[in-house]
Amino acid sequence: MVRMLQYAGQAIVYAAVAAFIGYFASRPLYQQFPDGQAQIKLSFAHGAARTRECRRLTPQEIAKLPPNQRRPNTCDRARVDMHVQLDLDGEVIYDARLPPTGLAGDGPARVYKKFVVPAGPHTLIARLRDTREATGFNYETRRDVELAPGQNLAVDFKADAGGFIFQ
Amino acid sequence: MEILRAPLRFVFDRAERLLGLVFPPHWNPMLNLGALGFFFYWIITVSGIYIYIFFDTGVTRAYESVAYMTHDQWYAAGIMRSLHRYASDGLIVVMLLHIAREFALDRYRGVRWFSWITGVPVLVMVYVAGITGYWLVWDRLAQYVAIVTTEWLDRLPIFGEPIARNFLSPANLESRFFTLMVFMHIAIPLIALILLWIHLQRVSKPRINPPRGLAIGTLASLLALSLVHPALSQGPADLAKVVGPVGLDWFYLPLYPLLENWPGPVTWGGAGALLLMFCAIPWLPPLRKPPVASVDLPNCNGCMRCFNDCPYNAISMRVRSDGLPFEREAVVEPSLCVSCGICAGACPTATPFRRASELVSGIDLPDMRVAELREEIETRCAFRKGEPRILIFGCDHGVSLRGVDGASVKSISLRCAGQLPPSFIDYVLSKRLADGVVLTGCAENSCHARYGIQWTDARLARERDPMLRARVPRDRIRVLWAGRAGRRGLDALLRQFAHDLSELSSDASPVHTPDTRERPKELVNG
Ligand code: HEM
Ligand code: SF4
Ligand code: SF4
């Protein structure tokens, strides 16, 4: 009798632990993203122009280099900052000058930004300057979008593909 | 730290005793946490191998292959999948309890730092294994995990291109990263297993298998859970959408909402600080180490009992070095010894009947020698005449003995119950220094020195050397393995024991005659 009661007690312990594990393995639900909103994710990595144009080395300069390192041109490795702007319905929601990565400042600049916006129609303009100019943008793409609730719109940039990509 | 340990220990004592109401002592889950961890590990391994057969390791097909297991083959692969998930959750539960318990019982400092430190990378790896596991399903939860994890990694300025860009849009998704996750999910648990083997190097005879009854119950309950509430996916991942409400596994991912929302310096700084603190715990503050056991060669006959009983592999048997006609001698490795004294309790030369020669044990704790123990017994056993006289040998880690001493009850404290050579009980009773002897210690299976209680029980039951001599009347001995919280039980036991002793024949309660000393009967073996 005591034995049976013990087994029953064990069953209760096992059931309680199993219920605990079963429940917390997937509940309570977690919601970070607000209902009825959509997300714009602006992200890319891009190498801006070098700080100075490459130039030809003079014959004297070439002669001074060790023989196995002789080359006709010299280029600065460092890159300029990249200037990125995102404009939503006529308002600038992101405006940043992004420095190059890498210890020598020679890596691509990178951006990874998320914006939560109400679902519905929007006009987006993405702008980028990757040159040594001080002002203006050499890439600009305008896109009218209809964002569904919960949609994730990626704004990417690929110079070889001609500029900004909305997907 | 004692401020933290004491309440935690109280909670564990309580939980242990509550579970003790329905589980037989050796089945008590609280006393088998490490073993349960291994048991879950095996379930995870077997179920993992099975579901890997049906798993498609390409990111585009992974989801469907998992859905096939759950829906089309629910009776086998589906159950295996659920077992895989729930055993992993169970592993977290028992692992965290195991850590908390070793901490509460103060079994992580001193020479035990090794077990603690080797546990830390295991802890991290178990989490990484779980996180990569959720990644493989490639459902909405996987998408959440992938994005939050990579965004968090990107907060460290070490990657040229943000790795979270892999999950920017459906067009960016590649199998490359996914394949890496599949690889990690298999490799990391294997590495963790090797580390677990190292984790156990400094404890002898580790309990890595739960008792059969507990194993059956655990497996049965996981199976029942898998049938009643199978593990499900949460809809296919879709990078064109945000994740929205998602069911997190709160055992593995409780910090994900924080990783997502708190700034990088806080989460990375916090993670680093936490890890550092975890590694430093064994020295916060360091244990003031009592002197370790030392061998007295002229008294060691190389019988190997101490070697067999040491719970921490601190004794090795070497070739005899002093010319005595024995094959071996015991040698203590100080960096492994926890000063529990179990070896002294095992040594055949530690017999209080020795009067011809000085009482020196072959192996002993320098600050708590068996000779001092004999002296203490003789001074403590000055009882008032009349009532049955009871002598308690209490382990420091067991029931509190504060205030227990009275006219007819005296107590002597030990490092571990296993420190007491059984011949001392014989000595007390045959010399009639007391009418009854009580041994107290930690709760069964939770001995601070791991094997003190088990060996003591076996010595008293005459199953293990050194055995209690057959002539010792068993009805004059009581043991109470009850841990810190067992004081009420001790008081009750003392009342009952006094009553029982007074019922025993009167020839057994003579006056204290310390002069009727016998010649030594138990001589050094060999
Ligand atoms: C999957 C994870 C783990 C498993 C399966 C496991 C298993 C075990 C086992 C079987 C023992 C031996 C228990 C005995 O026989 O007395 C042990 C001891 C120990 N474990 Fe773990 N362990 C795990 C993780 C950890 C972690 C993460 C820590 C701490 C950070 C830890 C700290 C300790 C300590 C300090 C001891 C030594 C106890 C003593 O010296 O008496 N363990 N573990
Ligand atoms: S005191 Fe304990 S740990 Fe040290 S050698 Fe003796 S039995 Fe081993
Ligand atoms: S138990 Fe005593 S006699 Fe036997 S090997 Fe150990 S120290 Fe030597």
Side-chain angles (χ1 to χ4, degrees):
Chain A
M1 185 59 198
V2 173
R3 199 68 184 277
M4 290 321 287
L5 275 178
Q6 274 208 336
Y7 280 126
Q10 289 175 25
I12 292 172
V13 173
Y14 283 124
V17 174
F20 174 77
I21 288 182
Y23 181 76
F24 288 102
S26 60
R27 291 289 180 279
L29 287 182
Y30 169 72
Q31 179 168 16
Q32 157 72 9
F33 200 80
D35 280 332
Q37 307 285 96
Q39 176 169 272
I40 298 170
K41 216 186 245 183
L42 170 71
S43 170
F44 54 88
H46 173 60
R50 307 284 176 185
T51 44
R52 262 184 302 165
E53 199 90 58
C54 292
R55 65 177 176 82
R56 290 201 83 81
L57 290 167
T58 62
Q60 293 89 330
E61 278 173 321
I62 293 175
K64 256 195 269 170
L65 290 171
N68 63 340
Q69 289 178 16
R70 287 184 184 154
R71 56 191 190 276
N73 291 321
T74 180
C75 297
D76 263 7
R77 293 174 63 200
R79 295 176 185 278
V80 298
D81 290 355
M82 169 172 88
H83 189 182
V84 182
Q85 254 191 11
L86 189 66
D87 183 313
L88 177 77
D89 303 325
E91 195 188 328
V92 175
I93 56 170
Y94 182 68
D95 183 1
R97 284 164 195 276
L98 302 163
T101 53
L103 291 178
D106 59 344
R110 53 184 219 181
V111 52
Y112 186 93
K113 273 274 162 203
K114 298 191 285 188
F115 307 94
V116 178
V117 302
H122 294 284
T123 302
L124 277 168
I125 307 173
R127 304 187 184 98
L128 170 78
R129 183 182 69 243
D130 62 358
T131 62
R132 286 185 289 275
E133 306 292 319
T135 55
F137 294 95
N138 53 326
Y139 291 96
E140 177 168 316
T141 307
R142 181 196 156 104
R143 188 62 60 94
D144 292 312
V145 291
E146 176 75 38
L147 294 180
Q151 185 177 341
N152 176 50
L153 178 76
V155 181
D156 199 349
F157 177 87
K158 287 206 177 78
D160 341 341
F164 285 100
I165 304 165
F166 293 73
Q167 55 198 180
Chain B
M1 282 293 174
E2 185 57 28
I3 290 186
L4 283 177
R5 274 200 303 266
L8 206 55
R9 175 155 187 179
F10 177 80
V11 172
F12 273 108
D13 266 348
R14 270 295 140 89
E16 213 168 287
R17 290 215 292 162
L18 276 178
L19 289 169
L21 296 177
V22 295
F23 286 91
H26 56 290
W27 286 15
N28 196 321
M30 276 304 156
L31 310 180
N32 285 287
L33 294 168
L36 279 174
F38 271 98
F39 187 60
F40 284 130
Y41 226 99
W42 307 139
I43 297 179
I44 296 167
T45 309
V46 171
S47 57
I49 291 173
Y50 188 81
I51 56 180
Y52 190 72
I53 298 173
F54 302 95
F55 181 66
D56 192 315
T57 56
V59 68
T60 44
R61 306 266 293 283
Y63 181 83
E64 282 163 46
S65 70
V66 176
Y68 164 82
M69 294 183 218
T70 297
H71 301 293
D72 300 86
Q73 217 205 93
W74 62 269
Y75 49 87
I79 288 179
M80 286 296 192
R81 176 191 182 192
S82 303
L83 281 180
H84 197 67
R85 175 183 295 186
Y86 294 137
S88 308
D89 290 330
L91 176 60
I92 292 285
V93 173
V94 295
M95 182 176 67
L96 295 182
L97 287 173
H98 167 64
I99 300 173
R101 188 161 178 276
E102 298 303 332
F103 175 78
L105 294 181
D106 200 356
R107 293 207 293 203
Y108 62 99
R109 297 189 293 161
V111 305
R112 284 146 154 141
W113 67 269
F114 181 86
S115 304
W116 183 272
I117 287 292
T118 51
V120 175
V122 174
L123 174 70
V124 175
M125 287 187 185
V126 167
Y127 274 97
V128 175
I131 289 163
T132 53
Y134 275 112
W135 204 305
L136 302 191
V137 182
W138 206 238
D139 62 348
R140 288 172 52 254
L141 174 60
Q143 179 181 348
Y144 176 81
V145 168
I147 292 176
V148 177
T149 309
T150 50
E151 285 178 356
W152 188 57
L153 291 173
D154 282 334
R155 292 188 184 160
L156 283 182
I158 52 175
F159 303 102
E161 179 162 330
I163 43 177
R165 277 183 47 76
N166 283 297
F167 309 101
L168 188 62
S169 72
N172 292 54
L173 187 65
E174 280 182 50
S175 263
R176 184 172 57 117
F177 213 81
F178 196 73
T179 314
L180 176 67
M181 289 305 123
V182 178
F183 172 76
M184 281 176 65
H185 187 64
I186 296 169
I188 288 188
L190 286 178
I191 300 172
L193 205 58
I194 296 171
L195 281 171
L196 276 177
W197 176 74
I198 298 174
H199 183 59
L200 299 178
Q201 284 311 295
R202 289 215 179 165
V203 295
S204 66
K205 309 174 193 70
R207 275 184 292 120
I208 52 180
N209 292 318
R212 183 164 323 158
L214 181 61
I216 293 173
T218 305
L219 183 60
S221 59
L222 281 187
L223 267 172
L225 176 61
S226 302
L227 281 168
V228 175
H229 185 62
L232 300 176
S233 305
Q234 305 189 29
D238 181 359
L239 296 176
K241 290 197 189 124
V242 294
V243 172
V246 65
L248 295 190
D249 181 321
W250 292 98
F251 298 100
Y252 281 93
L253 308 168
L255 299 180
Y256 266 54
L258 302 184
L259 295 190
E260 190 182 1
N261 293 310
W262 286 5
V266 176
T267 48
W268 276 108
L274 209 67
L275 195 64
L276 216 72
M277 197 197 70
F278 231 81
C279 290
I281 281 180
W283 295 275
L284 291 177
L287 191 69
R288 256 195 283 125
K289 195 176 167 179
V292 299
S294 72
V295 174
D296 183 73
L297 260 195
N299 280 286
C300 168
N301 61 24
C303 70
M304 296 179 68
R305 287 181 186 173
C306 56
F307 169 80
N308 289 331
D309 281 7
C310 172
Y312 289 93
N313 285 335
I315 298 173
S316 51
M317 300 303 298
R318 305 256 173 89
V319 177
R320 202 74 196 187
S321 65
D322 61 354
L324 284 187
F326 304 109
E327 238 175 90
R328 291 173 290 254
E329 65 186 38
V331 177
V332 175
E333 169 52 49
S335 69
L336 299 180
C337 173
V338 304
S339 313
C340 62
I342 288 178
C343 47
C347 187
T349 56
T351 163
F353 293 104
R354 279 172 72 178
R355 288 287 170 185
S357 56
E358 193 193 346
L359 171 49
V360 180
S361 174
I363 188 165
D364 211 347
L365 296 181
D367 62 333
M368 239 183 147
R369 296 190 179 279
V370 288
E372 291 157 25
L373 187 60
R374 183 173 69 184
E375 257 170 52
E376 194 178 353
I377 291 173
E378 285 169 0
T379 41
R380 303 288 290 147
C381 285
F383 293 98
R384 198 193 301 151
K385 280 183 203 160
E387 294 162 69
R389 306 155 310 154
I390 298 174
L391 179 62
I392 306 174
F393 290 104
C395 157
D396 286 345
H397 300 281
V399 188
S400 159
L401 296 180
R402 197 174 307 152
V404 78
D405 284 25
S408 58
V409 175
K410 303 288 177 193
S411 67
I412 289 179
S413 105
L414 300 170
R415 281 283 157 69
C416 171
Q419 188 191 357
L420 186 73
S423 51
F424 275 72
I425 301 175
D426 185 12
Y427 185 74
V428 170
L429 292 176
S430 66
K431 299 268 176 211
R432 299 183 171 171
L433 300 175
D435 302 311
V437 168
V438 176
L439 278 170
T440 67
C442 312
E444 233 165 320
N445 274 353
S446 71
C447 171
H448 185 74
R450 302 185 63 244
Y451 278 103
I453 288 175
Q454 207 169 315
W455 296 164
T456 303
D457 278 341
R459 290 167 187 170
L460 297 191
R462 301 182 46 75
E463 290 160 0
R464 190 179 182 92
D465 281 324
M467 296 177 188
L468 182 66
R469 292 180 67 179
R471 70 172 187 190
V472 180
R474 295 306 314 262
D475 48 2
R476 292 184 178 274
I477 304 174
R478 293 286 186 275
V479 290
L480 178 68
W481 307 138
R484 271 270 181 278
R487 181 54 189 269
R488 241 190 295 160
L490 176 64
D491 293 339
L493 180 143
L494 287 174
R495 276 193 300 277
Q496 183 64 41
F497 193 26
H499 175 261
D500 295 349
L501 285 173
S502 60
E503 305 250 295
L504 287 175
S505 61
S506 57
D507 89 309
S509 54
V511 268
H512 173 202
T513 49
D515 292 326
T516 54
R517 276 179 184 145
E518 296 172 32
R519 298 272 313 137
K521 286 216 173 102
E522 304 196 2
L523 292 168
V524 178
N525 276 16

